Amino acid sequence: MQLKSLALALAGVALSAVVAMAQTPIKPAIVYDKGGKFDKSFNEGVFAGAEKFKTETGVDFRDFEPTNDAQIEQALRRFARDGHSPIIAVGFSQATALQKVAAEFPALKFTIIDMVVDLPNVQSVVFKEHEGSYLVGLLAGMASKSGKVGFVGGMDIPLIRKFACGYVQGVKAAKKDAEIFQNMTGSTPAAWNDPVKGGELAKSQIDRGADVIYHAAGGTGIGVLRAAADAGKLGIGVDSNQNGLQPGKVLTSMLKRVDVAAYSSFKAARDGSWKPGISVLGLKEDGVGWALDDANKALITPEMKAAADKARADIISGAIKVHDYMSDSKCAV
């Protein structure tokens, strides 16, 4: 009996050792994009993923909100010198800084979201935003009564043109004669955090007849959604689920699962399964999608949901091919 008890005790010790080995001690950190941690959109999605990891594991993380480009490199290097790993760099604009810092600290792990950095200790996560934008464009086209819809982008870069092009393709699939107004907020990073300008651009599109407006503009988009709601029109959110910001006035939100990217990076590092290289997340991988909840369910008819579900399946199967603006800097429609 004593031998049996001893054997069980030893087995328990061995199992505990295996579990301990499977959970690598980590010191995670995040450097956000310049729109701010609580932008209700892109950065906040990353924060939500990190918070989920912290709640599940008890492992805390450090983070930093830069206000200019110089601070990005400084923050990445400071976290690296303090032994933080993995370090998440949020946004395409951090690529140059990360290229330098990650090369200086080859033993540490880095993850960049929305850009590719080709180093053996960097994980690059990019998304098929055009696929999710096609679905919300389809819904916008079906919901529009005027046949005129709008798009407000943040900083005028190819990535945001990619959102716009996918959206236009979806709108045209629902209403081939639809008119789509497009405006970009600016050409500098300040374009991500200007809700006043976002509201002005949305109002100008509404004045031209738009009754549904999609934004891909970070914090600027808060002004777009507010202007649409104030005018009795519909907005479409982006990145995070923004349906609840103007309940009953946000048709849907194009979900870009940066929360999953952040959570997965931390979890994989702790589990010992973290790998460098490129991850491309689209509809098939549940990396993008659209939001349906209590805040917008009254706006989505059964026909609209069925059409979006079919389009999703057809995009995954290849029956519908959504053109990627970034493949040739052109939009086919």
Side-chain angles (χ1 to χ4, degrees):
M1 196 64 159
Q2 288 180 335
L3 288 174
K4 186 177 179 182
S5 298
L6 179 60
L8 288 171
L10 289 172
V13 170
L15 180 61
S16 297
V18 170
V19 171
M21 287 174 63
Q23 295 180 345
T24 306
I26 63 171
K27 286 178 64 178
I30 301 169
V31 179
Y32 296 105
D33 203 1
K34 291 186 289 294
K37 185 198 302 188
F38 298 113
D39 60 357
K40 304 296 182 188
S41 185
F42 184 63
N43 285 312
E44 196 158 339
V46 174
F47 174 70
E51 280 287 297
K52 179 185 176 186
F53 175 80
K54 176 182 172 181
T55 299
E56 289 184 4
T57 65
V59 178
D60 206 351
F61 60 93
R62 292 283 305 281
D63 58 7
F64 180 75
E65 298 176 71
T67 56
N68 60 59
D69 287 332
Q71 289 180 339
I72 291 172
E73 185 174 334
Q74 292 166 5
L76 289 170
R77 186 171 284 107
R78 186 175 68 249
F79 282 144
R81 282 176 178 160
D82 289 344
H84 286 277
S85 179
I87 300 170
I88 297 179
V90 183
F92 72 94
S93 64
Q94 300 202 27
T96 301
L98 182 63
Q99 187 86 34
K100 284 196 228 174
V101 176
E104 291 172 23
F105 297 88
L108 301 182
K109 298 176 176 68
F110 297 83
T111 295
I112 185 165
I113 296 174
D114 266 1
M115 185 55 81
V116 173
V117 171
D118 186 15
L119 287 173
N121 59 331
V122 176
Q123 180 184 79
S124 303
V125 184
V126 293
F127 295 83
K128 295 181 179 180
E129 295 92 351
H130 53 301
E131 293 184 351
S133 295
Y134 180 99
L135 296 185
V136 301
L138 181 71
L139 293 169
M142 294 180 75
S144 176
K145 295 180 174 60
S146 67
K148 298 177 181 180
V149 302
F151 174 86
V152 175
M155 188 175 172
D156 190 357
I157 53 173
L159 177 63
I160 300 304
R161 296 280 175 182
K162 181 180 179 182
F163 281 84
C165 184
Y167 177 66
V168 170
Q169 291 172 78
V171 172
K172 293 284 189 180
K175 279 189 172 71
K176 65 178 181 179
D177 297 325
E179 190 172 356
I180 301 102
F181 307 124
Q182 298 185 47
N183 292 103
M184 297 292 178
T185 304
S187 57
T188 70
W192 302 119
N193 200 21
D194 192 347
V196 173
K197 180 73 176 291
E200 290 170 352
L201 292 173
K203 189 176 183 305
S204 73
Q205 293 181 357
I206 291 166
D207 289 345
R208 284 181 280 165
D211 56 1
V212 186
I213 301 176
Y214 174 37
H215 86 84
T220 296
I222 304 304
V224 174
L225 298 180
R226 186 182 301 120
D230 288 349
K233 310 302 180 184
L234 296 172
I236 297 177
V238 79
D239 296 339
S240 299
N241 183 352
Q242 298 184 319
N243 295 355
L245 294 182
Q246 302 287 343
K249 294 297 182 181
V250 177
L251 179 64
T252 186
S253 297
M254 199 290 278
L255 301 176
K256 179 173 171 179
R257 301 305 303 272
V258 292
D259 57 329
V260 173
Y263 173 86
S264 297
S265 175
F266 288 175
K267 185 175 185 298
R270 188 169 188 252
D271 294 347
S273 60
W274 189 97
K275 292 179 181 177
I278 303 171
S279 295
V280 183
L281 306 180
L283 289 174
K284 183 178 180 181
E285 299 79 18
D286 286 326
V288 295
W290 63 283
L292 181 62
D293 59 19
D294 287 344
N296 74 326
K297 65 182 181 182
L299 302 172
I300 305 294
T301 66
E303 292 77 18
M304 291 166 69
K305 184 177 185 305
D309 289 345
K310 184 177 187 307
R312 179 183 185 277
D314 286 347
I315 291 169
I316 291 172
S317 73
I320 291 177
K321 299 191 184 303
V322 186
H323 181 71
D324 179 356
Y325 176 88
M326 291 181 70
S327 67
D328 59 3
S329 298
K330 296 176 184 175
C331 194
V333 292

